[in-house]
Amino acid sequence: MIDTAQHERPALRHARFPFHYEQYQGGSPEAERLVFDKLARELAGVRRGNRHGGPAHLLRTVHAKPALGVDNARIRFHDDLPEALRVGYAQPGAEYPAAVRLADASGAERPDAAPDLRGMAVRVQAGPGGTHDLLTTSFPVSYAADAREYVAFAKAMGDAGSAAERVFGLLVKLPLAVGWSTAARMRRHVHTATRHMVGSLARETFWSCGAILWGDAGPVRYRLRPAPGSTPAPPPDRGDPGYLHRELMQRLSTGDVCFELCVQRYLDERRTPVEDGSVEWQESDAPVVPVAVLTVPRQDLEGAEAHSAAHRVERLAFNPWHTTEEFRPLGNLNRARKAAYEASGAQRPGPRFPTATPRRDAVLSLPVRAAFGLVDRCVPWHRLPLPPVYRGGGS
């Protein structure tokens, strides 16, 4: 078991004041919210200027093509969970039911061999303590450090319909907006993240990218990686547009699929930044600590009950802020994400996430959803899982 004692003192110092880990643009949450309002208006301009999109593209702006949706998974925390990480529902030996959704990151249904990121969303039903949504992507970092860079990318790529326009956006518009070195880093991350060919989603690792609070232990980033002992991934079947689902179906017909939930703990803002989602937390600085195992049990995905479960999972709206205060998301991108969810939630019937004011509805909801959709049509991306969609789905 990895020694976590080196982290305990700073974690306790900040335990009651998690905002000490965060640095708000403008110096306060109120000032930063004004920045988000301004960015939302810029995103509205991107939507108005886009000549290729329309409302039809917004029905599901990301993760349009699921490879797996089950609601009979379980997550069990290790019996030897480090003392410092025993927070809330994370207790030694604690086990909870979970829903799991695996999908492509793109908003369009494309062949599985197409370059793309992949995403895993997990909803843990932790009894009286409520539910916790874990949203992850198959790349360890975001191409955008913060919401400002995200908007700059949207503006550079929003009206790029042809290959030449996309090249012009990446090589000219983006550098003029964020600087040459930042643009180079963003292009590098996009290229690296989408060129990986996947043979089996059961053998992929999925990262949170951004940080969350872990109670008194302070900020962590988490990942879900294949548990030891499972069979290797087969070569990608480029001739089968849905081979990822069929590979999972075959794998689950013979045995369980298991992932280890692991965390990396915060050290300092230089090595493990909270506000910059584009910086990877290196394992040499922040060791990976296994804390639980997520198990998707052996089952027949072709049966009626499996199809019914997949339909139920499709109707879930996964939200990184769907958790408790002691596990709340941290950082600029996550706070921008919350603003979008608030505005979107106020426009949907039925149960909502935090209440939004009419002004936030008008400024944030449709522009944010629309511009997120534009970016994902230009390049597959899962750093900001989008607001719950109109028909009840989510990330």
Side-chain angles (χ1 to χ4, degrees), residues 65 104 108-118 194-201 235-246 380:
K65 184 181 180 182
D104 293 350
E109 294 197 7
R110 305 188 300 169
D112 286 347
D116 201 354
L117 290 174
R118 319 291 167 171
T194 57
R195 70 182 178 183
H196 170 58
M197 284 291 295
V198 179
S200 171
L201 290 174
D237 184 354
R238 296 176 182 270
D240 181 357
Y243 74 85
L244 289 176
H245 170 72
R246 272 177 272 282

Side-chain angles (χ1 to χ4, degrees), residues 9-267:
R9 183 171 297 176
L12 291 173
R13 182 171 68 247
H14 292 292
R16 294 182 180 274
F17 303 99
F19 55 82
H20 286 177
Y21 293 112
E22 301 185 287
Q23 301 172 13
Y24 294 96
Q25 278 188 283
S28 71
E30 295 76 16
E32 184 178 72
R33 192 54 184 255
L34 294 176
V35 173
F36 291 159
D37 286 354
K38 178 178 182 295
L39 293 176
R41 288 192 292 271
E42 293 182 24
L43 290 178
V46 173
R47 186 193 185 203
R48 287 192 299 269
N50 177 54
R51 62 179 180 270
H52 307 290
H57 293 280
L58 303 180
L59 292 178
R60 182 178 285 278
T61 47
V62 289
H63 309 294
K65 184 181 180 182
L68 178 71
V70 297
D71 58 7
N72 62 349
R74 300 197 67 84
I75 187 167
R76 187 182 189 278
F77 286 91
H78 293 321
D79 293 332
D80 61 349
L81 184 69
E83 181 72 32
L85 297 175
R86 298 177 184 182
V87 177
Y89 78 114
Q91 298 296 327
E95 185 172 350
Y96 307 101
V100 176
R101 186 175 190 267
L102 285 161
D104 293 350
S106 175
E109 294 197 7
R110 305 188 300 169
D112 286 347
D116 201 354
L117 290 174
R118 319 291 167 171
M120 180 191 292
V122 180
R123 172 161 295 177
V124 180
Q125 187 64 51
T131 58
H132 303 266
D133 285 359
L134 307 175
L135 274 71
T136 58
T137 185
S138 58
F139 194 65
V141 295
S142 162
Y143 73 70
D146 54 27
R148 182 187 66 85
E149 289 186 8
Y150 180 85
V151 172
F153 192 93
K155 293 171 69 176
M157 301 298 293
D159 61 351
S162 66
E165 288 173 326
R166 288 194 290 273
V167 169
F168 183 75
L170 286 172
L171 297 182
V172 179
K173 289 185 177 180
L174 187 61
L176 290 176
V178 299
W180 295 101
S181 62
T182 297
R185 181 255 298 161
M186 295 174 77
R187 290 194 301 267
R188 184 171 61 252
H189 282 181
V190 167
H191 174 70
T192 304
T194 57
R195 70 182 178 183
H196 170 58
M197 284 291 295
V198 179
S200 171
L201 290 174
R203 301 300 300 163
E204 289 296 294
T205 297
F206 299 87
W207 289 264
S208 66
C209 298
I212 67 168
L213 190 66
W214 197 278
D216 289 357
V220 304
R221 286 188 184 180
Y222 59 86
R223 69 180 67 174
L224 286 153
R225 67 186 184 188
S230 57
T231 58
D237 184 354
R238 296 176 182 270
D240 181 357
Y243 74 85
L244 289 176
H245 170 72
R246 272 177 272 282
E247 197 279 335
L248 283 172
M249 185 167 58
Q250 181 177 0
R251 188 179 288 263
L252 282 169
S253 70
T254 60
D256 299 345
V257 169
C258 299
F259 293 87
E260 275 192 318
L261 174 64
C262 307
V263 300
Q264 291 177 281
R265 296 189 59 192
Y266 173 86
L267 294 171

Side-chain angles (χ1 to χ4, degrees), residues 291-356:
V291 297
V293 173
L294 173 69
T295 301
V296 179
R298 175 180 176 177
Q299 58 194 286
D300 177 12
L301 293 183
E302 293 186 290
E305 175 53 35
H307 284 289
S308 179
H311 179 71
R312 291 193 296 270
V313 172
E314 283 303 292
R315 295 190 61 80
L316 293 178
F318 294 97
N319 182 336
W321 286 89
H322 192 191
T323 185
T324 58
E325 179 63 23
E326 57 194 348
F327 290 96
R328 73 176 181 86
L330 301 171
N332 180 277
L333 280 169
N334 274 324
R335 294 191 299 273
R337 191 189 272 182
K338 183 181 182 183
Y341 274 106
E342 286 180 354
S344 177
Q347 303 237 347
R348 296 178 64 219
R352 298 174 181 173
F353 294 112
T355 303

